[in-house]
């Protein structure tokens, strides 16, 4: 249960470190598995907990975030928990207003239109003051997990956040945000730098609060081609890994494994392999063998079953998982979906996915 905050120190001893071992490239008895959006609307208990609350009010409640994070672990033998939050808390910390519109999704009341609008953003962000509620949620959840599995913290990456801040919400083309990259390259870099600096402090704060791994979501990488990605996404992705690690060292905090998930960025896998992350997350549009060939043997891979495969009958899910494990190999690998779970998915099929990963990977390891 997610009761009162205890001291951030004195966390319970970790009982299942399979996910962390795989992330660091150590040998594991089975392939660890977790799911993006595992705390989500596909669970009736999630819908019930969330029913009466505004979405971002839920994000600001450590107790609710803790409860939502723990729900999937009560049902499935997952190997990691990921804190319930949202990537758009970072633009909120910069002073932008974001509301969740039913049927439409997150919406910025005043998106960035002109370069002058950058002046409206907070230029120096005290992450503890603005995002302390996420840190509290992490500390509370880490205690409440009782050492069952590691807790993952996360952030959106600069380009993905920038695209939301300019588009004002979701977009199929990202044309407004991309037009900034072409028309206002200097201002774009100013905004991306500002975001990167906040993200670095935010991720370090998450580790101080108790996060045992970190994932950076570059969810909109697919809207960039190789050149724009090289100029406007990759440098900040690299800086974040490097600066988070040097700050963790300076502050004598644990050097936790970091995961980069750049969706639809198979054109950049070689670069991402050298960007300073222990793990590269993959979407479902790339063959396991192809990803392994591009990324090499020194980085752990995470992914990449098509989320829609969970609509298949359970036996079929088992076959697809087996094939995926044969493609990636069971070591230096964390099983996941190639994107998040969808709200209309059957929880039993999620359970079948998790169990298939454990069963098939154990079998392959034995033989």
């Amino acid at each position: 249960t997610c009761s009162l905050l205890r001291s951030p120190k004195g966390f319970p001893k970790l009982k299942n470190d399979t996910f962390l071992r795989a992330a660091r490239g150590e040998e594991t008895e089975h392939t660890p598995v977790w799911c993006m959006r595992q705390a989500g609307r596909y669970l009736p208990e999630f819908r019930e907990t969330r029913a009466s609350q505004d979405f971002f009010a839920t994000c600001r409640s450590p107790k609710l975030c803790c409860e939502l994070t723990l729900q999937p672990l009560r049902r499935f033998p997952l190997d990691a928990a990921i804190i319930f939050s949202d990537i758009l808390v970072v633009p909120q910390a910069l002073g932008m207003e974001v509301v969740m519109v039913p049927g439409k999704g997150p919406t910025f009341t005043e998106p960035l239109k002109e370069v002058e609008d950058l002046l409206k953003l907070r230029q120096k962000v005290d992450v503890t003051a603005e995002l302390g509620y996420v840190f509290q949620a992490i500390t509370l959840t880490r205690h409440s997990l009782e050492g069952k599995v590691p807790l993952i913290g996360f952030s959106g990456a600069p380009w993905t956040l920038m695209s939301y801040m300019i588009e004002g919400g979701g977009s199929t083309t990202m044309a407004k945000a991309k037009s900034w990259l072409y028309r206002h390259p200097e201002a774009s870099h100013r905004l991306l730098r500002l975001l990167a600096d906040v993200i670095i402090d935010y991720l370090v704060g998450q580790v101080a609060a108790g996060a045992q791994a970190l994932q950076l979501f570059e969810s909109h990488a697919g809207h960039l081609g190789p050149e724009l990605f090289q100029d406007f996404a990759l440098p900040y992705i690299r800086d974040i890994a490097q600066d988070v690690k040097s700050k963790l060292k300076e502050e004598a905090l644990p050097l936790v494994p970091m995961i980069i998930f750049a969706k639809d960025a198979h054109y950049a896998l070689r670069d991402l392999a050298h960007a300073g992350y222990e793990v590269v997350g993959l979407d479902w549009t790339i063959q396991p063998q192809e990803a392994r060939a591009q990324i090499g043997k020194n980085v752990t891979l995470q992914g990449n079953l098509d989320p829609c495969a969970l609509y298949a009958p359970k036996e079929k899910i088992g076959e697809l998982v087996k094939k995926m494990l044969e493609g990636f190999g069971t070591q230096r690998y964390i099983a996941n979906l190639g994107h998040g779970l969808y709200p209309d998915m059957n929880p039993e099929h999620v359970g079948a996915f998790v169990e298939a990963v454990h069963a098939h990977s154990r079998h392959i390891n034995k033989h």
Side-chain angles (χ1 to χ4, degrees):
T1 60
C2 306
S3 56
L4 295 168
L5 280 178
R6 281 154 285 191
S7 75
K9 296 290 162 267
F11 288 126
K13 191 174 180 309
L14 184 59
K15 298 176 190 125
N16 170 5
D17 66 347
T18 314
F19 163 81
L20 295 177
R21 288 212 315 275
R24 292 192 293 255
E26 296 163 20
E27 206 171 309
T28 60
E29 284 160 35
H30 68 264
T31 296
V33 55
W34 66 280
C35 298
M36 289 184 271
R37 288 204 214 117
Q38 62 191 28
R41 285 178 291 173
Y42 73 101
L43 289 175
E45 58 269 37
F46 178 96
R47 295 197 297 272
E48 207 172 298
T49 308
R50 278 270 304 104
S52 59
Q53 274 280 27
D54 163 72
F55 178 80
F56 286 109
T58 304
C59 291
R60 287 190 288 274
S61 161
K63 227 168 154 172
L64 286 176
C65 290
C66 174
E67 167 59 24
L68 294 169
T69 303
L70 295 183
Q71 284 176 352
L73 296 160
R74 294 187 192 125
R75 278 190 184 244
F76 315 117
L78 294 154
D79 293 289
I82 182 164
I83 193 68
F84 176 81
S85 186
D86 194 86
I87 63 172
L88 298 181
V89 299
V90 170
Q92 287 176 332
L94 287 166
M96 294 189 80
E97 193 188 359
V98 193
V99 291
M100 195 56 83
V101 179
K104 188 182 169 199
T107 306
F108 285 74
T109 50
E110 291 181 44
L112 304 173
K113 291 195 169 72
E114 306 302 330
V115 170
E116 298 78 64
D117 293 341
L118 294 181
L119 300 172
K120 296 180 193 167
L121 300 175
R122 277 192 193 102
Q123 302 305 307
K124 270 273 170 264
V125 174
D126 174 348
V127 291
T128 310
E130 299 301 330
L131 295 165
Y133 59 89
V134 180
F135 302 156
Q136 287 173 359
I138 287 172
T139 301
L140 178 57
T141 306
R142 175 85 187 267
H143 281 297
S144 304
L145 275 167
E146 295 172 338
K148 194 173 175 177
V149 293
L151 179 60
I152 304 169
F154 71 91
S155 174
W159 154 249
T160 294
L161 296 178
M162 170 183 173
S163 63
Y164 271 115
M165 290 159 75
I166 294 171
E167 296 290 341
S171 156
T172 50
T173 60
M174 296 292 157
K176 287 182 195 154
K178 285 176 73 177
S179 82
W180 272 55
L181 305 180
Y182 286 109
R183 292 185 305 143
H184 312 302
E186 287 84 6
S188 295
H189 279 299
R190 276 212 311 278
L191 174 55
L192 292 162
R193 183 74 262 160
L194 175 62
L195 283 162
D197 290 343
V198 176
I199 290 162
I200 290 159
D201 289 344
Y202 180 43
L203 290 174
V204 171
Q206 290 186 42
V207 176
Q212 291 154 290
L214 298 169
Q215 178 155 311
L216 189 68
F217 284 87
E218 189 71 280
S219 311
H220 296 168
H223 292 279
L224 302 176
E227 283 176 18
L228 288 179
F229 188 85
Q230 279 284 345
D231 287 348
F232 295 100
L234 188 63
Y236 301 99
I237 289 171
R238 279 195 190 119
D239 284 357
I240 288 167
Q242 201 180 332
D243 293 355
V244 165
K245 285 174 181 179
S246 63
K247 287 197 175 198
L248 290 175
K249 274 195 192 121
E250 271 166 40
E251 297 182 26
L253 289 165
L255 277 179
V256 303
M258 294 179 71
I259 307 165
I260 175 67
F261 175 61
K263 188 170 177 293
D264 298 323
H266 28 76
Y267 56 80
L269 288 181
R270 281 196 169 82
D271 288 325
L272 291 168
H274 301 288
Y277 293 77
E278 285 69 26
V279 184
V280 173
L282 303 163
D283 60 70
W284 68 90
T285 61
I286 184 143
Q287 291 278 9
Q289 295 86 337
E290 176 60 26
R292 189 64 83 184
Q294 288 198 42
I295 286 170
K297 300 237 177 336
N298 300 328
V299 177
T300 295
L301 299 182
Q302 175 179 283
N304 75 341
L305 191 73
D306 180 354
C308 291
L310 297 192
Y311 294 122
K314 288 186 198 171
E315 308 70 64
K316 178 72 176 162
I317 294 172
E319 288 164 32
L320 293 167
V321 165
K322 181 169 178 275
K323 192 175 167 217
M324 179 171 84
L325 284 160
E326 286 163 355
F328 281 111
T330 59
Q331 301 298 320
R332 263 212 178 276
Y333 172 54
I334 297 160
N336 204 318
L337 303 172
H339 199 223
L341 287 159
Y342 301 144
D344 64 345
M345 285 178 166
N346 181 342
E348 284 181 24
H349 288 221
V350 178
F353 167 66
V354 173
E355 276 150 32
V357 171
H358 286 162
H360 287 299
S361 62
R362 280 200 175 97
H363 183 79
I364 293 168
N365 285 344
K366 275 203 189 96
H367 300 83

